[in-house]
Amino acid sequence: MRIPAILATVFVTASLQAAEPEVLDDLYKLTQFASEPDIVTPVGATFDAKGRLLVVEVHTHFPPKDYAGPKHDRIRLIEDTNGDGKADRFRTFYEGTDKTMSLLTGPDGWIYVATRMKIFRIRDTDGDDKADEERQIAWLETEGDYPHNGLCGLSFDNEGRLLFGLGENLGKDYVLISAGGTKLSGGGEGGNIYRCSAAGKGLEKLATGFWNPFGICVDPQNRIFCVGNDPDSMPPCRLMHIVKGGDYGYQFRYGRSGRHPLQAWDGELPGTLPMVAGTGEAPCAVLPYRGQLWVTSWGDYRIERYTLEPRGASFGAKLDVAVQGDENFRPVDFAVAPDGSIFFTDWVDRSYPVHGKGRIWKLSLKSGAPQAPAFPPLSDAEKLAAKLEAQRKPDRFSRLGDPDPFIRNAAIEGFSKSGLVVRLDGDGLDSASTRVGLLEAGRRSGFSGAVRHAALESALLDAAAEVRLYALRWIADEKLNEFLPRVKELAKEKDTTPALFTAAVATVEWLDGGKVANLKNNHRGHYFSNVITEGGYPDSITMMALRSLPPDHESLTTKQLLSLMMNSNPQVRREAIRTLALSGTEESRDLLMQAADQKTHQPQARADALVGLIESERHLPQITQLVAGALKDDDKVKPAAAMASLILRKGEEFRWNPPAPGADAYLKKFEEYGEPDVDSGWRWFFSYGQCSKCHTLQGRGGDTGPDLTFIAKRMDRQRLVQSIIDPSREIAPQYVPWVVELKSGKTLTGIALNREGNNEVFAASDGKITRINTSDIEARHPSRVSVMPDGLASKIGPRVIYDLIGLLEATAANRTD
C-alpha cells in the first residue's frame, strides 16, 4: 500500500472529472453534500453532540513541494444552514495536527481524535465552535513515521471503553504510553487493537496480527469488528471479528509479503483466527447499520455491505455492493447523522499525496423503506465463548482443543488468566489441538525460562505436526536461539508436511541470521533448494518444490527431472513436465518431446508437454507432426492439440469484436462455454497469454506484477474480466509504470523495482529487467497507462479469458491439484 514519495510532485497534475457514483439499492438515494474547494482530502468524520458534521481535512499526507494548502491538518465543522441539503457553512473547529487518521464523538460528548502518533480528545467549553480544551489519552514513542501505519481507528464498546488500533509501524520498536500510566512495548509483531477507558486508564492489548486495522466498530450485541488492509502479496483485505487474545496471523518481522510460512491470513496456522470475509481493496471504515456491516472500499471505489452468517462462535458474511463509483470515487469514513442517514467522505483521486480534491456524500433512505433487520442475537456458541473467557476456575484443559477456533481462543484466554497454568506438560492429552491450546495458554501467561524451555523441547518431539508448528512459531517470534540445533534437525526430517517443512526452514533462516527472504522475488524456492537433490521427501513436498523453484534452478538438472518424470505418482510426473515446459532449454524440449509422444503419461501431462514445445524452432517439424497426431488422439489431449495448432498459426481464430464495451459482453459470451477448462487456463497462462512473464501463480512465473494466486478471493469474475480488457483503469500504486527519459535520447517504460547501488531497476511489459545508472536519467514521469498491453483481450479472445479466469478461481479456492 505504500507509494514512492516522488509521485507526490506529479500525480497532482492529473485531474479527471469525478462522475456521480451509482446507488445499487433502490431503498436509498445519494446526494453530494459538499466538495472542493470547500472541503479537500477528507478522511475521518463524525457528528457532534449537537448533530453537526465534523470532518478531518488532511494536508500532511505526502504534500507536494509546491502544495499551497495549510501546513497542518484541521477538523472542519460543516453545516447546511438553509436546509437545502447542501453544505453552506465551513469553519475550523480544531487545527495543528499532522497525519490525522480518525475522528469520533464519544458518549461523553468529547471529540476523540487519532493521529499517527497520538490519541486525544477535545471539546468546546465556551460555545464559540472552536475546541479549547484538550486531553491526552495515549501516545507513541517510536522511530516509525509513515503517515498511515500508526495509531488509527476509533470506536466505543457498549461499556464505554475506547477501542483503537496501531498499524504495522514498519516493524519499528515502539512504546505505547497511556494517560493512566500504562506502558506497552513491542515491535515487529504487526498491527494491534487496544482498549482503555475514555480517559486512558486500564490500557490493554486486545488482539494482534493485523496489517493496518483502519476501521473498528461495535455492533448492538457488543461484538467488535475490524477492517484492515493487506500486505504486498496477500489479498484479500479482511473483515474480522475481534476477540480478547485473538491472533489474526500477520507479523511484520517476517516480511511485507504476507506469504511467509510463519504468517497466516485466514487462520491457516495453529493459534490464529480466521477472517469473517475478504473485502474490497483498501477498506478504511466499518459501520454497523441496519443489520449489516458497511465497509468503505477505497481501492475498489465502492461501499460494500456484509450480512453476517453465524459460524459457531463467530461469523462468515455475504457481500453485496450498495454504492459503486468509478476510479474517481474513493470513500474513506462513515458518520451516521441524527436522522439516520449516512454521510461518508470521499478522497476522490487514486493518488496518495494530498491533491486538493474531496467530496462528502449523504446516503439516505427513501420514504416507505421497511424496518431494518436486526443484527444476529448472541448464539449459544458465543455465550459459551464469553463464559469460558470470563471464568477464572475452569475445568482442567476444558475446551482448549475445541474445533471452533473462537471457542478454543476463549478457553485459552480464560485458562491463561486462571493461575492454573503452572507447567506446560501435554503428556497424556490425546488431542493434538488441546496440546497446542495448552502451549498457547502458557505463552499468554508469560511463561519463560526453564518451564518454557521444557515445554518447547517436548513440543518439538510431538508426533503431531500442528504441535511442532506452534512450537516453531513461539521459538521464532521470541528468537529463542537455544533451539536452533533442534530446529535444523526438524528442517531435514523426511516425515513432514509442507507447512511444517517450510516453517522449520524459515525458522532456521530467522534464528541463524535474523533475515527473511523476499518471497515475492524468490518464489519461496530457497526453502526447497535441497529437496530435489536429497530426495526421499514426501510427494507433497516434492511437488511444492517443483512449483516453487525457478525452472532454471541448479537443482533441477535434466537428470533429476527425467527421474521425476518416471515417478510412480502421476501428479509428481505432471509437475516435473510442467517445470520442463517452463524452462525453455533445448535439453528440456528433448524430454518434452518424449513426454508428449508417450501414451503412458496421463493425457493432461502430455498436453502440458505439447504446449511447452511450441516455441522451439529446432523441433518445429516434429511438433507439427505431434500436433497433427494428437488431434486424432485421446479426447483429453485434443483441446491442447487444437490450442497448439492455433498458436502455431499465430492465433488468428482467437480474435473477437465484442458487441459492446465493458465486461458484460464477455460475461454474456462465457455463457456459451459451459464450465471453464482449468487445465487449458494453466497452459494459456504460461504460454501464449504470456501472463507468467510478469505474474506469479502458485509459486511459478514472474514477479514484476502482482501475484495472482489469491486474486480471485478479492475480485469477482466481472472485475477480473475488467482488469484484463482495461488494465489501465486501476493500477495499484506499487505497479505504476514510469516513463524514463535517458540523456542518450532513448525512452524506457517500466515498473520501478528497486535500487542496486547507483543503478535503478525497471521491468518492462514482457518482464525483461533493465538496469539504468541514475546519472544517465534525464527525467522520469509516472504513466497512467499500464504496462499490461491494452490489446491483450483482442489477441487472446473470450474463450482464453474464460479459461484463465477459471484457473484463477480454482487456484484461489485450492482446486487445481
Side-chain angles (χ1 to χ4, degrees), residues 339-382:
D339 67 359
S341 58
I342 299 177
F343 284 67
F344 55 89
T345 57
D346 178 3
W347 187 263
V348 178
D349 197 279
R350 72 183 182 186
S351 62
Y352 280 14
V354 290
H355 43 63
K357 303 174 188 176
R359 295 182 294 191
I360 298 171
W361 299 93
K362 178 182 179 181
L363 186 68
S364 53
L365 281 166
K366 297 177 182 177
S367 60
Q371 184 175 351
F375 275 86
L378 291 175
S379 66
D380 290 342
E382 289 181 279

Side-chain angles (χ1 to χ4, degrees), residues 93-169:
F93 180 75
Y94 179 88
E95 62 183 326
T97 53
D98 294 332
K99 302 169 184 174
T100 313
M101 294 291 295
S102 306
L103 192 66
L104 181 68
T105 300
D108 52 10
W110 285 80
I111 306 300
Y112 289 76
V113 184
T115 72
R116 197 229 181 271
M117 300 298 287
K118 63 182 180 179
I119 308 286
F120 62 98
R121 58 182 180 173
I122 54 178
R123 64 180 175 179
D124 167 24
T125 63
D126 58 12
D128 66 352
D129 294 336
K130 291 183 180 294
D132 51 37
E133 185 176 358
E134 178 176 332
R135 294 185 184 177
Q136 302 299 309
I137 297 172
W139 55 95
L140 275 178
E141 291 182 354
T142 181
E143 294 180 0
D145 64 354
Y146 189 75
H148 60 241
N149 65 354
L151 297 172
C152 59
L154 296 171
S155 189
F156 278 92
D157 66 17
N158 294 353
E159 297 168 40
R161 294 174 293 185
L162 177 66
L163 303 164
F164 62 90
L166 169 64
E168 35 78 16
N169 198 39

Side-chain angles (χ1 to χ4, degrees), residues 404-463:
D404 184 322
F406 284 82
I407 290 178
R408 184 169 65 245
N409 176 81
I412 291 168
E413 184 67 17
F415 191 65
S416 68
K417 301 295 189 295
S418 67
L420 298 178
V421 194
V422 294
R423 62 193 183 97
L424 295 177
D425 185 0
D427 290 348
L429 296 178
D430 293 335
S431 166
S433 58
T434 301
R435 298 198 295 276
V436 170
L438 182 60
L439 279 172
E440 191 173 352
R443 185 177 181 184
R444 293 191 196 185
S445 298
F447 277 16
S448 60
V451 175
R452 178 183 64 190
H453 187 93
L456 288 172
E457 199 170 47
S458 175
L460 289 174
L461 296 172
D462 198 288

Side-chain angles (χ1 to χ4, degrees), residues 708-738:
L708 300 184
T709 304
F710 298 98
I711 194 69
K713 282 190 174 183
R714 179 167 62 84
M715 292 185 179
D716 59 19
R717 185 171 286 185
Q718 183 170 26
R719 182 91 189 278
L720 289 170
V721 172
Q722 190 66 51
S723 67
I724 295 173
I725 65 176
D726 187 8
S728 298
R729 180 174 181 175
E730 180 73 9
I731 308 172
Q734 64 267 39
Y735 299 112
V736 170
W738 289 83

Side-chain angles (χ1 to χ4, degrees), residues 607-755:
D608 292 341
L610 191 63
V611 175
L613 283 165
I614 289 170
E615 293 185 4
S616 174
E617 294 291 336
R618 183 167 68 90
H619 293 91
L620 187 57
Q622 298 99 310
I623 296 166
T624 304
Q625 186 177 356
L626 270 174
V627 168
L631 286 170
K632 303 174 184 178
D633 209 338
D634 189 298
D635 286 342
K636 291 183 179 180
V637 182
K638 286 180 180 178
M643 175 193 301
S645 179
L646 283 171
I647 295 172
L648 289 170
R649 298 197 309 271
K650 307 303 181 186
E652 288 300 323
E653 291 89 338
F654 298 144
R655 299 191 180 279
W656 179 67
N657 293 318
D664 289 343
Y666 283 83
L667 295 174
K668 183 70 174 175
K669 186 71 173 176
F670 293 167
E671 295 175 5
E672 301 175 11
Y673 300 139
E675 290 298 314
D677 186 333
V678 173
D679 289 303
S680 290
W682 189 94
R683 291 187 278 270
W684 291 124
F685 189 94
F686 290 98
S687 62
Y688 185 69
Q690 297 192 336
C691 312
S692 62
K693 296 285 187 181
C694 296
H695 299 285
T696 297
L697 189 74
Q698 285 189 314
R700 288 185 167 119
D703 50 47
T704 57
D707 187 323
L708 300 184
T709 304
F710 298 98
I711 194 69
K713 282 190 174 183
R714 179 167 62 84
M715 292 185 179
D716 59 19
R717 185 171 286 185
Q718 183 170 26
R719 182 91 189 278
L720 289 170
V721 172
Q722 190 66 51
S723 67
I724 295 173
I725 65 176
D726 187 8
S728 298
R729 180 174 181 175
E730 180 73 9
I731 308 172
Q734 64 267 39
Y735 299 112
V736 170
W738 289 83
V739 178
V740 182
E741 299 175 8
L742 303 180
K743 293 178 181 178
S744 65
K746 294 182 179 180
T747 299
L748 166 83
T749 300
I751 297 170
L753 298 181
N754 50 46
R755 291 178 180 268

Side-chain angles (χ1 to χ4, degrees), residues 24 70 129 224 236 239 256 275 296 300 307 317 334 349 356 384 593 669 706 709 815:
L24 304 182
D129 294 336
I224 303 169
L239 169 63
R256 294 178 60 93
M275 68 178 87
T296 55
D300 284 338
T307 302
F334 294 113
D349 197 279
L384 173 60
M593 286 293 298
K669 186 71 173 176
T709 304
R815 291 186 281 105

